[in-house]
Amino acid sequence: MTAIVANSRQERWWNSRTAHRFMNHHLALLGMVMIAILTLACVLGPYVLPYDSLYIDLRARFAPPFTGHHYMGTDPLGRDLAARLFMAGRVSLLVGFSAMLLSTLIGTLVGVLAGYRGGWIGTTLMRTVDGFLSFPSIFLVLALAAALKPSPMMITVVIAATSWMEVARIVEAEVRSLREREFVQAGRMLGLSGTHIMFREILPNAVGPIIVAATLTVARAILMEAYISFLGYGIQPPLPSWGNMLNGAQQYLGTAPWLAIIPGAAITIAVTSFNFIGDGLRDALDVRGDHS
Amino acid sequence: MRGFLLNRLSQSLVLLLIVSVIGFVVLNLIPGGPLAQFGLDPSMTQDDLNRLKEQLGLNRPLWMQYLDWAWRLVQGDWGHSFRDGAPVLDVIGRHLVATLLLMGSSTVIAIAVGTWIGIRGATHRYSVFDYLATVGAMVALSIPTFWFGLVGIYVFSLRLGWLPAGNMYTIGDGSVLNHIHHLIMPSIVLALVHVAIWSRYMRTATLDVISQEFVKTARAKGLSERRILMKHVVGNALLPMITLAGMQLPSVLTGALVTETVFTWPGMGRLFLDSLGYSDYPVVMGLLMFSAILVVLCNLIADIVVAIIDPRIRLS
Amino acid sequence: MTKDSTTKSGYSRRDALRLMAAGGIACFAAPNLLGKPAFADTANPTGRVVVGLSQEPTVFHPLMAHIEVDDAVHFSLFDALFRIDPKGVLQPNLAAEVPTQQNGGISEDGLKWRVRLRDDVRWHDGEPFTAEDVKFTLELITNPNFRAWRTGGHSLVRDITVVSPTELTWRMEEAFAPYLSFLTETFMVPKHILEKEADPNAAAFNQAPVGTGAFKWAQRVAGDHLELVANPQYFGDGPYIERLVFKYIPDMTVLYTQFKSGDIDLTDQAYITADHYEEAKTLPGRVVTLVSGASVESIYLNLEKPQFKDPAVRKALYAAMDRKAIIDAIYYGVGTLTETFMPRTSYYYNPNLPAQEFNLDRARQILDEAGWVPGPDGIRAKDGVRLSFANSTTSGNNLREQVQQFLQQTFAEIGVEMTISNLPAAVMFGEFWLKSQFDSAIAGVTHLIAADPDATNRLATSAIAAKGGKGSNVGQYSNPEVDALLKKGAQTFDPEARREIYSRIQEIVREDLPFLPLFAATYVVGRKEGLEGWEPNSNTRTASWHAAGWRWQS
């Protein structure tokens, strides 16, 4: 949410010192490991478990965890919660990741354009960024989600449409500070096109902060998806997502608390992991600033 | 200074204009509209709905509706709620107290706890406490607020029965104690994320100050650690936080909205969701503008305060 | 036009309304509704009742466009000319008697109406209530600048004449029997206050209403609750409680929790959720009642979609619905099987309709015989139309979403593909619903207006809004025989004659299956032990229709 002022660096971000620092960041490593496990479980889980995530069995509804082979219990329609959780993980992680890619793309484009061009284009773009940022983000998300037909694609677009601003700010600040540097001036004198300078010369120098912001955006996007789906505006049943598994769980909080606790824990683990990774990357890449 | 102020002011106005346009367009993109609430009422015929549409001015082109709304707003008329017909400012005012109470108490918690954790983390850098605080902050930032609220309700209301599951007070018992009893859980839930953010900022800010020359000088002069901290560190570190407070506002509002939903708190977040649900355009737009104005004001004040204290900023 | 049919049934029999009333009185007593002389001051109202609502009442001008939940407040603050009792019988309220063709209140052609009023009614501010107020009220509804609720029926009223402070007459543009019922939900507003207002839509009255009802306005804490106090000068029986509080609790779980903890004395709509019914029954000091509602939970089909044009498809889908499993498992047994849109409690309910039978083989057979053959993907098709459709309901409605997913699985077994596409309520019931843009939808649909059996707005060809019609026939059902019967029914005043008409309509609709009924809505109403005088009334839209009669057991 804040403009992150990055130290401009000439060296490439993937030099061994950076990699070394990242590997020494225990939390980041932990995050990587957890994400790896989670991803693996979501990819393989549905094949290993004895139940289909969509199979309804009304006789087996509300089975608590560890009933027979229902290791995480069943939901109000008697579907296996573990199978649904991993299936949901695929959806939620995919939505989070795609939303990150899309919003980073938009944010980078806007940021580069605004930072390099400056002038009225830059001002207009950055004021628009400010405008988007002064909304309680939930408004835009809910309104857009209500306006569009819900599907994983649409949810991705909605989340991306409301989370590109931070990347834009970061990139804009970075590019603005790089614009007047010698190598850019040199490029200009050599007669290189604006596009070339923007994307080939300046952008690679801003990659560090972008990666950090992108990682944190994944975390944010997963949270967003969860909240939209929790309110019923997001991923539609029978396709499970961590968020829509929580939808309705409040109703059964007294009688079947595992319905609320398990998916929520999954979200927390995934989001925490991405935040850990982001933090590690920030230290490793020596990007100053904070995420919020 | 005057030029600086005018510049910032005009930028703020442009910002409000952009916010209002985006809000209005997005709001009108939502199909359904204010009459959907009568959709299941068999007695509301299409004729009735068309008549209401005309009476509410919704059959006009969108740009005309916007200009009409904006022109009235400039004159100080925020319009009337579609639902209860009351002036929008009245409607917002009625819900403001509840939200202020919630936001206020959670901000107090966030600042108090966050500042303490931050400073302690910075002065005891790399200690177990610092490490736990860092990890804890990260986890706190990752927990979905609504889920945290649900778990809280499950544990403290349904299982232990210590705290109420929702509402601001028990009907017929308006005592302060009753209010506080109802306030505990929602304000802690809302504060969680902000404790994390504040403590991180406070830690960084304190570290910055500690490393500066004058602190070293003060220490050399033999001043006690505690006095140095109180006088220099906190004083200096709080400065950037004014800016932070302004920028935090939308996220605090979002958090309040989510928290109010989970704890059935009768505040602006509740009003916002309800108004959105009924497509009560005047109230939703009113709330958006209200929060945008607050954000802009906070940023403006922060800019001015910072500019007064540190004149170099003005140049950039 | 169809005048002969009206007159034929209009007066050849005894006044069946009277007949019904007589039957009703034997087992039901609502002293204040029967126009007994007031003994209001005998009771010294004590105690407080807190009613929990899951939506917030916001419209307090009873004639302005409002939703169900506002009724709870209107019924306590205001009075109408007549009220409808739990048996479906009209009782005089502000009127001295219910006008009928028998007592001469309604002319034989149904066009001239005369209403006599009580002479002992005062507004909460002490002004007397007169025929001028009635005239003002009826004229306000059709005032083009006023954001009125339903204008149906009212728009037919002409030449309102105040004969005396306690009597007025008017003429109807055409005979319209349901108007009598409509008047039970038309609350009278004070002329002396509202006539001074330049804009009736923004009157101060709207935030601090003045009525004649058993309770007076006290205060409102927006977003939280509103409070009414006893009107000791009430002309009818009661009130016995001193304070009536309507508490807004947007979350159903919290609503139930607060009922359990005793913060709420009565759960009004949306009542207690079905999954809490079993537990609620066992709570000490609480009484839980199942109340049948007027709406029918059903799968509404958009009959203009090629998949649903073939009656065989509708029959097959109906046979493939395991309604019992749905009610028992998903709704915890709360819900009653029904074959018709008419509420069970209605005088016009037809109990002799063929019962649906869950039978997947039969469903497959129907589709086979009709030529719907499974394609390579297992989904049936005929003449290039795949038997695949979307089903929509309000997103976030957990139980309905469970029903959807359950049906999706069973429908797949007979080679029918149902996809789920849910929308927020505010989106769903806009044009998507009103202009028939859905394939199929699950909704709790009410067909009657103010408990009158006339379902023209839902079933008549002229009511298809998507085709420029006037009503809310969103399924686009069209059957000339039903159209004719509906027209006849609306112009017939004699209840027995009307019963025949509406029984026949129910038969045809059951045969045509324009929508597939899941169950008749049943509400779980909970109240604290010791709260006496509460009674359900499915002819109204609220459980708080008669707070005047509530009292705490001493």
Side-chain angles (χ1 to χ4, degrees):
Chain A
M1 117 170 296
T2 57
I4 293 180
V5 185
N7 291 344
S8 53
R9 284 151 292 102
Q10 290 296 330
E11 80 252 44
R12 296 301 190 187
W13 62 272
W14 57 79
N15 65 15
S16 60
R17 208 172 120 246
T18 304
H20 189 72
R21 271 196 299 201
F22 182 77
M23 294 305 281
N24 271 343
H25 198 287
H26 300 288
L27 287 180
L29 272 187
L30 181 70
M32 290 290 270
V33 172
M34 286 201 293
I35 289 298
I37 295 175
L38 213 55
T39 312
L40 214 64
C42 291
V43 172
L44 299 180
Y47 298 110
V48 179
L49 287 165
Y51 300 100
D52 184 272
S53 66
L54 294 180
Y55 181 70
I56 294 170
D57 181 4
L58 286 183
R59 284 158 307 171
R61 55 205 306 252
F62 293 121
F66 300 109
T67 308
H69 289 288
H70 296 296
Y71 301 112
M72 292 182 185
T74 61
D75 74 356
L77 285 172
R79 291 174 296 202
D80 184 54
L81 206 64
R84 285 185 74 69
L85 188 79
F86 295 134
M87 221 43 184
R90 293 183 181 182
V91 177
S92 291
L93 289 175
L94 201 65
V95 167
F97 206 72
S98 327
M100 176 273 284
L101 285 182
L102 196 57
S103 68
T104 306
L105 190 71
I106 303 173
T108 307
L109 285 178
V110 172
V112 168
L113 202 63
Y116 185 75
R117 279 286 147 82
W120 68 269
I121 296 182
T123 312
T124 314
L125 284 175
M126 291 326 284
R127 285 312 106 186
T128 311
V129 168
D130 289 347
F132 269 95
L133 278 175
S134 18
F135 280 106
S137 57
I138 217 71
F139 162 75
L140 280 181
V141 172
L142 287 184
L144 282 175
L148 301 165
K149 276 244 172 209
S151 71
M153 253 264 279
M154 274 305 143
I155 301 306
T156 307
V157 171
V158 166
I159 295 174
T162 53
S163 45
W164 55 273
M165 294 87 75
E166 277 168 58
V167 176
R169 272 195 168 181
I170 294 165
V171 173
E172 193 260 353
E174 192 81 346
V175 170
R176 192 153 37 85
S177 74
L178 290 173
R179 191 169 54 179
E180 305 305 328
R181 297 285 279 267
E182 298 85 11
F183 69 99
V184 177
Q185 304 283 14
R188 224 172 268 154
M189 288 212 274
L190 283 172
L192 294 175
S193 74
T195 328
H196 184 94
I197 297 176
M198 276 192 278
F199 291 99
R200 302 302 285 274
E201 304 297 332
I202 295 183
L203 197 58
N205 290 285
V207 155
I210 293 177
I211 287 184
V212 173
T215 316
L216 301 175
T217 306
V218 180
R220 224 180 79 100
I222 294 175
L223 276 180
M224 260 320 176
E225 184 279 323
Y227 191 61
I228 312 172
S229 298
F230 167 67
L231 288 178
Y233 291 67
I235 306 287
Q236 293 301 307
L239 190 67
S241 85
W242 286 337
N244 77 13
M245 287 175 77
L246 280 171
N247 173 358
Q250 187 166 14
Q251 194 180 328
Y252 302 110
L253 207 53
T255 46
W258 60 90
L259 291 177
I261 291 170
I262 293 175
I267 298 170
T268 308
I269 292 172
V271 176
T272 310
S273 303
F274 278 110
N275 279 336
F276 280 167
I277 297 173
D279 198 49
L281 283 173
R282 182 180 14 239
D283 285 358
L285 298 168
D286 199 18
V287 178
R288 258 198 79 209
D290 210 297
H291 60 283
S292 53
Chain B
M1 190 72 192
R2 170 179 278 180
F4 165 78
L5 268 181
L6 279 178
N7 184 24
R8 280 297 148 98
L9 211 61
S10 62
Q11 283 193 3
S12 303
L13 287 178
V14 173
L15 189 66
L16 289 180
L17 184 74
I18 293 174
V19 167
S20 71
V21 173
I22 298 175
F24 205 86
V25 169
V26 170
L27 202 53
N28 278 281
L29 273 181
I30 308 175
L35 302 177
Q37 55 176 313
F38 306 118
L40 270 181
D41 185 339
S43 69
M44 295 296 273
T45 62
Q46 199 56 46
D47 285 0
D48 283 324
L49 295 176
N50 290 343
R51 169 180 53 83
L52 281 171
K53 202 167 182 175
E54 199 179 316
Q55 287 169 338
L56 293 172
L58 295 172
N59 54 345
R60 297 170 298 168
L62 202 57
W63 60 268
M64 207 191 266
Q65 290 182 44
Y66 175 78
L67 287 184
D68 184 45
W69 172 83
W71 178 236
R72 282 166 193 266
L73 187 73
V74 170
Q75 295 169 311
D77 176 7
W78 290 57
H80 292 256
S81 161
F82 285 169
R83 287 175 77 201
D84 64 4
V88 167
L89 278 185
D90 283 10
V91 176
I92 294 177
R94 285 180 203 148
H95 292 80
L96 195 58
V97 181
T99 297
L100 284 181
L101 196 64
L102 182 62
M103 278 171 61
S105 62
S106 91
T107 306
V108 168
I109 296 175
I111 291 180
V113 179
T115 306
W116 179 72
I117 294 179
I119 293 180
R120 205 184 140 86
T123 50
H124 299 72
R125 212 172 165 191
Y126 304 127
S127 67
V128 176
F129 178 90
D130 186 31
Y131 192 74
L132 283 181
T134 309
V135 176
M138 211 91 79
V139 175
L141 283 172
S142 311
I143 298 182
T145 308
F146 65 94
W147 182 70
F148 188 57
L150 287 185
V151 173
I153 291 176
Y154 176 66
V155 175
F156 293 104
S157 306
L158 298 182
R159 283 274 149 242
L160 299 172
W162 291 352
L163 296 168
N167 289 326
M168 200 158 94
Y169 56 93
T170 314
I171 292 281
D173 182 359
S175 67
V176 177
L177 211 65
N178 189 273
H179 275 82
I180 292 177
H181 193 214
H182 283 79
L183 198 55
I184 296 173
M185 208 156 39
S187 50
I188 290 180
V189 167
L190 180 56
L192 183 78
V193 171
H194 300 283
V195 168
I197 296 171
W198 276 105
S199 67
R200 302 275 289 165
Y201 265 90
M202 204 62 204
R203 182 178 180 273
T204 318
T206 313
L207 282 178
D208 277 0
V209 175
I210 285 178
S211 65
Q212 275 166 23
E213 283 305 315
F214 66 92
V215 177
K216 286 181 185 157
T217 320
R219 201 176 283 150
K221 276 200 274 177
L223 287 173
S224 78
E225 196 80 5
R226 195 181 183 82
R227 279 196 59 187
I228 299 172
L229 271 180
M230 290 317 289
K231 198 165 169 194
H232 295 289
V233 178
V234 177
N236 280 318
L238 279 177
L239 189 63
M241 291 209 180
I242 299 170
T243 327
L244 175 64
M247 289 181 303
Q248 286 281 296
L249 201 70
S251 90
V252 175
L253 278 176
T254 298
L257 189 146
V258 174
T259 315
E260 285 179 8
T261 315
V262 174
F263 291 99
T264 63
W265 196 263
M268 285 174 29
R270 187 70 250 165
L271 175 69
F272 183 79
L273 267 194
D274 280 0
S275 305
L276 196 61
Y278 288 105
S279 298
D280 192 345
Y281 297 153
V283 175
V284 177
M285 283 309 290
L287 282 168
L288 279 183
M289 292 316 286
F290 186 78
S291 79
I293 288 173
L294 273 185
V295 171
V296 164
L297 272 183
C298 276
N299 286 339
L300 206 60
I301 291 170
D303 281 351
I304 292 169
V305 170
V306 171
I308 289 170
I309 296 169
D310 187 356
R312 281 170 303 168
I313 307 259
R314 263 184 251 163
L315 300 173
S316 67
Chain C
M1 304 160 273
T2 47
K3 200 166 175 190
D4 55 338
S5 64
T6 1
T7 43
K8 211 169 22 183
S9 51
Y11 55 94
S12 59
R13 297 162 191 271
R14 287 182 47 206
D15 183 358
L17 263 177
R18 277 282 173 199
L19 188 77
M20 287 161 63
I25 288 162
C27 54
F28 169 72
N32 68 321
L33 290 185
L34 294 173
K36 275 193 185 169
F39 50 94
D41 284 325
T42 55
N44 187 19
T46 48
R48 184 194 65 200
V49 174
V50 181
V51 179
L53 298 163
S54 70
Q55 283 174 296
E56 187 186 9
T58 52
V59 180
F60 308 114
H61 190 313
L63 305 178
M64 287 184 78
H66 62 269
I67 54 175
E68 270 184 17
V69 74
D70 299 307
D71 278 8
V73 182
H74 300 169
F75 273 76
S76 303
L77 276 177
F78 296 97
D79 285 302
L81 292 178
F82 334 111
R83 296 256 182 141
I84 190 157
D85 73 15
K87 300 275 175 210
V89 181
L90 299 191
Q91 304 284 2
N93 183 189
L94 288 169
E97 60 179 1
V98 178
T100 59
Q101 286 171 324
Q102 241 60 46
N103 66 20
I106 301 173
S107 65
E108 279 169 15
D109 57 8
L111 296 180
K112 292 201 179 62
W113 291 49
R114 186 201 64 225
V115 175
R116 293 206 177 96
L117 304 170
R118 297 177 66 112
D119 60 359
D120 56 349
V121 182
R122 285 182 180 276
W123 294 101
H124 292 156
D125 62 2
E127 293 290 315
F129 160 81
T130 70
E132 289 291 346
D133 292 308
V134 180
K135 180 172 194 276
F136 177 81
T137 298
L138 296 181
E139 284 172 348
L140 179 58
I141 294 171
T142 49
N143 176 344
N145 295 321
F146 181 60
R147 295 211 290 268
W149 189 37
R150 66 167 72 121
T151 52
H154 299 297
S155 55
L156 301 172
V157 175
R158 302 282 183 279
D159 311 333
I160 305 172
T161 315
V162 173
V163 181
S164 78
T166 57
E167 186 177 333
L168 76 164
T169 61
W170 66 78
R171 180 174 68 78
M172 299 290 282
E173 190 67 15
E174 59 183 77
F176 187 60
Y179 193 50
L180 212 49
S181 294
F182 286 15
L183 285 173
T184 66
E185 289 183 356
T186 306
F187 292 103
M188 295 300 141
V189 295
K191 179 186 182 186
H192 68 279
I193 292 175
L194 283 166
E195 70 181 348
K196 294 176 200 140
E197 295 284 352
D199 179 5
N201 300 311
F205 171 87
N206 303 0
Q207 306 297 325
V210 173
T212 57
F215 293 90
K216 295 197 277 195
W217 183 261
Q219 60 147 343
R220 171 179 180 221
V221 179
D224 195 68
H225 73 271
L226 66 93
E227 194 173 326
L228 310 182
V229 289
N231 169 18
Q233 265 70 53
Y234 189 52
F235 63 89
D237 182 26
Y240 299 100
I241 50 168
E242 196 195 353
R243 280 172 194 282
L244 179 61
V245 177
F246 292 99
K247 173 95 178 87
Y248 166 48
I249 303 168
D251 183 82
M252 301 296 295
T253 311
V254 180
L255 181 70
Y256 173 69
T257 319
Q258 303 236 318
F259 168 68
K260 201 170 148 184
S261 67
D263 292 339
I264 285 171
D265 301 311
L266 178 82
T267 58
D268 202 328
Q269 66 136 321
Y271 313 99
I272 295 173
T273 49
D275 55 309
H276 287 128
Y277 175 53
E278 283 300 318
E279 187 194 308
K281 273 197 296 192
T282 63
L283 294 177
R286 305 283 182 278
V287 188
V288 174
T289 320
L290 285 184
V291 177
S292 52
S295 74
V296 176
E297 187 82 6
S298 41
I299 302 183
Y300 244 69
L301 305 174
N302 185 352
L303 301 181
E304 284 302 316
K305 298 281 170 182
Q307 303 93 311
F308 300 129
K309 280 200 162 158
D310 184 352
V313 171
R314 306 192 307 253
K315 285 197 178 85
L317 290 179
Y318 197 40
M321 283 162 51
D322 191 352
R323 302 195 299 170
K324 210 167 149 13
I326 289 171
I327 295 175
D328 287 347
I330 298 173
Y331 283 89
Y332 294 83
V334 179
T336 320
L337 288 176
T338 187
E339 301 293 342
T340 172
F341 59 88
M342 196 68 77
R344 246 163 201 284
T345 47
S346 171
Y347 174 70
Y348 304 93
Y349 174 75
N350 181 345
N352 303 318
L353 300 171
Q356 176 256 16
E357 205 182 320
F358 170 59
N359 187 336
L360 288 181
D361 290 332
R362 175 89 190 103
R364 284 188 202 102
Q365 193 192 340
I366 297 172
L367 289 174
D368 286 341
E369 283 167 6
W372 292 88
V373 209
D377 56 353
I379 307 302
R380 290 171 190 268
K382 179 184 176 182
D383 304 333
V385 179
R386 268 180 99 232
L387 205 37
S388 164
F389 58 89
N391 185 272
S392 306
T393 191
T394 45
S395 48
N397 186 323
N398 202 247
L399 294 184
R400 280 192 187 139
E401 286 180 346
Q402 289 176 26
V403 171
Q404 275 181 323
Q405 295 168 59
F406 180 73
L407 287 175
Q408 187 176 41
Q409 183 163 311
T410 28
F411 284 169
E413 287 176 43
I414 59 166
V416 176
E417 181 182 66
M418 183 175 105
T419 56
I420 294 174
S421 164
N422 293 343
L423 298 164
V427 176
M428 165 131 177
F429 295 114
E431 306 238 299
F432 181 73
W433 170 259
L434 293 164
K435 294 281 173 72
S436 310
Q437 291 162 2
F438 58 93
D439 285 356
S440 71
I442 298 185
V445 183
T446 310
H447 286 74
L448 310 190
I449 301 171
D452 189 87
D454 178 28
T456 304
N457 275 343
R458 285 272 186 241
L459 299 173
T461 309
S462 61
I464 303 175
K467 293 181 184 162
K470 286 184 147 200
S472 39
N473 180 356
V474 297
Q476 313 203 49
Y477 176 57
S478 178
N479 182 323
E481 196 185 346
V482 170
D483 289 344
L485 285 165
L486 283 169
K487 188 157 201 177
K488 191 173 161 197
Q491 297 181 337
T492 307
F493 284 81
D494 175 25
E496 274 178 60
R498 294 187 89 193
R499 176 138 82 165
E500 272 170 42
I501 297 169
Y502 291 107
S503 283
R504 177 70 193 129
I505 292 176
Q506 291 172 70
E507 270 172 35
I508 303 170
V509 170
R510 170 64 185 83
E511 179 59 27
D512 286 348
L513 286 173
F515 57 90
L516 314 174
L518 281 159
F519 55 84
T522 304
Y523 307 124
V524 183
V525 182
R527 65 183 198 277
K528 219 178 253 175
E529 213 168 59
L531 177 61
E532 294 184 337
W534 176 82
E535 202 175 358
N537 185 347
S538 57
N539 300 307
T540 66
R541 305 194 296 175
T542 166
S544 308
W545 67 282
H546 182 219
W550 298 351
R551 70 183 92 196
W552 286 108
Q553 192 179 39
S554 44

